[in-house]
Amino acid sequence: EALEQRGWPLPPLVDDAQLNFERLLMHHPDLILAPMSGITARDYARLSQIAPTLGWSGAPWTGSWQGVTRQVGTALGREAEAEALIAATEARLAAAALPEFRGLTFLIGSGNPGAGTISLHRAGDPRVQLLQALGMELAPTLDALPGGGFQTILGFEALGRLDADILILWQSGPEELTDLQAHPVFAGFDPVARGCLLPMLDRGFVMATSAPSPLSIPWALDRLVPALSDLIAGNPACGPERAPAR
């Protein structure tokens, strides 16, 4: 949408499961940006032979959108513009942090009905950081689980160890969501049983929250904030005043 508004053509898309270095080489890039990725040291070395490459720092698939914006601004020699974008986007987030979001605990991830597992994102994940910027809190019960990285994978049988006001899940489509909700153990998970599940099925919405940026955040907020508000307003059991799960 942003490209259309500016009259710019859509850039070539490489939608491969693995890096296709030959296809990337065909596009003759001036710069390769991969700050929010899982590229390995070997990948980085090969990419750097194609063009100067900006990889991740800290850990794969983690980092703040502010940090990524600053990295890109530095790589392009546009540091002041990057800071202005960060300030404007933070102001937009602050305006979207409605009072009813304050103190609301959440879990966010994706369910796999076939495997009977759920992947939940941890504190270093940008999706979590986006919700925290709205005044919400990552469920302490998840933070207390062992492990690191950007996500934790649990079997449905372990969901009883967790407690949250709402559960946000991104799924591939309505069919997968239906299969997930048909699983009796998942259906009995407290946020689901209370009707406090917020599904994200639109791929654009999922990607806008998975890799937040000054471009995607305002677009995502226009959809996320009303969805959260409607969920809370329509079901008092989703608010922070509800009784905790036993």
Side-chain angles (χ1 to χ4, degrees):
E1 292 176 10
L3 293 175
E4 290 176 357
Q5 290 174 2
R6 291 167 172 79
W8 295 350
L10 188 69
L13 299 178
V14 180
D15 193 16
D16 296 328
Q18 296 183 339
L19 281 172
N20 189 320
F21 299 99
E22 290 71 24
R23 287 187 65 183
L24 288 172
L25 185 60
M26 289 171 56
H27 296 303
H28 306 290
D30 297 314
L31 178 67
I32 297 174
L33 300 175
M36 189 61 66
S37 72
I39 61 171
T40 65
R42 184 178 180 182
D43 294 334
Y44 181 84
R46 293 191 66 183
L47 291 170
S48 297
Q49 293 176 345
I50 298 173
T53 300
L54 177 62
W56 52 266
S57 61
W61 300 111
T62 62
S64 69
W65 64 267
Q66 295 97 325
V68 171
T69 302
R70 290 189 175 99
Q71 285 180 282
V72 174
T74 299
L76 297 177
R78 301 169 74 172
E79 293 91 342
E81 186 174 346
E83 291 299 330
L85 284 171
I86 290 170
T89 307
E90 288 180 336
R92 178 73 172 81
L93 280 164
L98 302 180
E100 57 263 38
F101 297 162
R102 190 174 300 117
L104 197 71
T105 60
F106 71 91
L107 294 165
I108 183 170
S110 178
N112 185 332
T117 60
I118 187 169
S119 301
L120 296 169
H121 300 295
R122 300 185 73 107
D125 186 87
R127 285 158 281 219
V128 171
Q129 296 168 1
L130 181 63
L131 292 166
Q132 289 173 325
L134 294 177
M136 299 169 64
E137 299 175 5
L138 182 63
T141 48
L142 176 64
D143 204 36
L145 292 179
F150 72 99
Q151 68 177 356
T152 292
I153 301 177
L154 298 172
F156 288 163
E157 70 279 358
L159 288 173
R161 300 162 61 187
L162 301 173
D163 182 38
D165 294 320
I166 63 171
L167 172 64
I168 304 171
L169 291 183
W170 53 274
Q171 303 297 145
S172 63
E175 297 82 4
E176 187 178 59
L177 178 63
T178 298
D179 291 343
L180 192 62
Q181 292 175 311
H183 196 292
V185 179
F186 175 82
F189 181 38
D190 187 60
V192 180
R194 285 186 281 106
C196 301
L197 167 63
L198 178 62
M200 296 192 295
L201 306 180
D202 178 79
R203 186 176 182 184
F205 188 22
V206 171
M207 293 307 300
T209 53
S210 299
S213 70
L215 180 61
S216 73
I217 287 173
W219 186 92
L221 290 177
D222 288 342
R223 291 150 181 82
L224 179 61
V225 171
L228 285 168
S229 294
D230 290 346
L231 181 68
I232 298 166
N235 189 349
C238 300
E241 295 82 12
R242 57 141 188 126
R246 295 184 178 181

